[in-house]
Amino acid sequence: GQNIDQPTEMTATEGAIVQINCTYQTSGFNGLFWYQQHAGEAPTFLSYNVLDGLEEKGRFSSFLSRSKGYSYLLLKELQMKDSASYLCAVRVPGNTGKLIFGQGTTLQVKP
Amino acid sequence: NAGVTQTPKFRILKIGQSMTLQCTQDMNHNYMYWYRQDPGMGLKLIYYSVGAGITDKGEVPNGYNVSRSTTEDFPLRLELAAPSQTSVYFCASRGTYEQYFGPGTRLTVT
């Protein structure tokens, strides 16, 4: 079966660091994606990991451990505009580009 | 470069009515996808296409149909609307590796 787990909600303070975890159990793996989705808007691409390790992009970093079926998204120097849902998605093997999404983590940043 | 566009933005349907959700992309992407997103949930794949003339079912295809006559357009058809199809529908196309999403269509069936 296909299962991707993320915490439903998280709260953090402006200026702090927050880590959003994602664990997956899927029949095959061909990369892990993180998307940001503000309320009422479309998801936008944040990061992509296909090999183990940390990918850094400005204030956002994403980590992958394929042996543990685990990823996290790290957000530093939190800003109020970071309040959004963060979706973890696994790409299935093959040439279809299909993604399986977790339910998303709603992050609320407080002053 | 408009990216992925969807129409309409909002629609209210009565049970049993039909409609087509339009999706167009101007990035010359071969791969396109239709998702639905229910409140507080992630995205579920309805149908996808790997190129003009080629479509296939995703996780939740029942009650929907698609066609792909051109690279640019990937319309989604609801034949007999049911309350369970109340959702937000997103169309996406795939670039090098990431997917680009349209703004969505918010559909209510009553």
Side-chain angles (χ1 to χ4, degrees), chain A residues 7-22:
Chain A
T8 304
E9 295 178 343
M10 298 184 71
T11 303
T13 305
E14 193 175 15
I17 299 173
V18 71
Q19 178 175 311
I20 303 174
N21 295 324
C22 171

Side-chain angles (χ1 to χ4, degrees), chain B residues 62-92:
Chain B
N62 291 345
Y64 307 95
N65 274 302
V66 293
S67 59
R68 184 95 182 271
S69 56
T70 67
T71 299
E72 295 77 21
D73 300 307
F74 189 39
L76 178 72
R77 178 87 178 155
L78 283 71
E79 288 295 346
L80 290 170
S84 61
Q85 293 178 305
T86 294
S87 191
V88 180
Y89 292 84
F90 289 103
C91 177

Side-chain angles (χ1 to χ4, degrees), chain A residues 6 14 26 38 60 79 81-83 98 101 106:
Chain A
Q6 307 177 233
E14 193 175 15
T26 57
H38 285 101
F60 292 7
Q79 302 176 8
K81 67 178 182 180
D82 297 329
S83 293
K98 289 195 294 184
F101 282 85
T106 300

Side-chain angles (χ1 to χ4, degrees), chain A residues 15-74:
Chain A
I17 299 173
V18 71
Q19 178 175 311
I20 303 174
N21 295 324
C22 171
T23 57
Y24 62 91
Q25 292 174 306
T26 57
S27 52
F29 176 87
N30 193 20
L32 189 139
F33 294 77
W34 285 96
Y35 282 83
Q36 180 189 58
Q37 185 178 26
H38 285 101
E41 297 183 9
T44 55
F45 170 75
L46 284 178
S47 69
Y48 167 60
N49 296 69
V50 66
L51 299 176
D52 291 351
L54 189 68
E55 294 281 342
E56 296 185 84
K57 194 188 290 187
R59 294 189 298 114
F60 292 7
S61 303
S62 57
F63 172 83
L64 175 66
S65 168
R66 288 172 295 170
S67 62
K68 293 183 176 156
Y70 168 69
S71 173
Y72 67 73
L73 181 69
L74 193 71

Side-chain angles (χ1 to χ4, degrees), chain B residues 29-98:
Chain B
H29 291 162
N30 284 321
Y31 296 77
M32 295 187 74
Y33 310 86
W34 272 106
Y35 295 91
R36 60 177 287 173
Q37 185 175 36
D38 298 325
M41 301 296 287
L43 296 150
K44 297 289 186 186
L45 183 65
I46 306 171
Y47 270 95
Y48 68 99
S49 170
V50 299
I54 307 169
T55 63
D56 206 348
K57 297 177 180 178
E59 299 172 78
V60 290
N62 291 345
Y64 307 95
N65 274 302
V66 293
S67 59
R68 184 95 182 271
S69 56
T70 67
T71 299
E72 295 77 21
D73 300 307
F74 189 39
L76 178 72
R77 178 87 178 155
L78 283 71
E79 288 295 346
L80 290 170
S84 61
Q85 293 178 305
T86 294
S87 191
V88 180
Y89 292 84
F90 289 103
C91 177
S93 69
R94 178 189 155 196
T96 306
Y97 47 84
E98 76 273 31

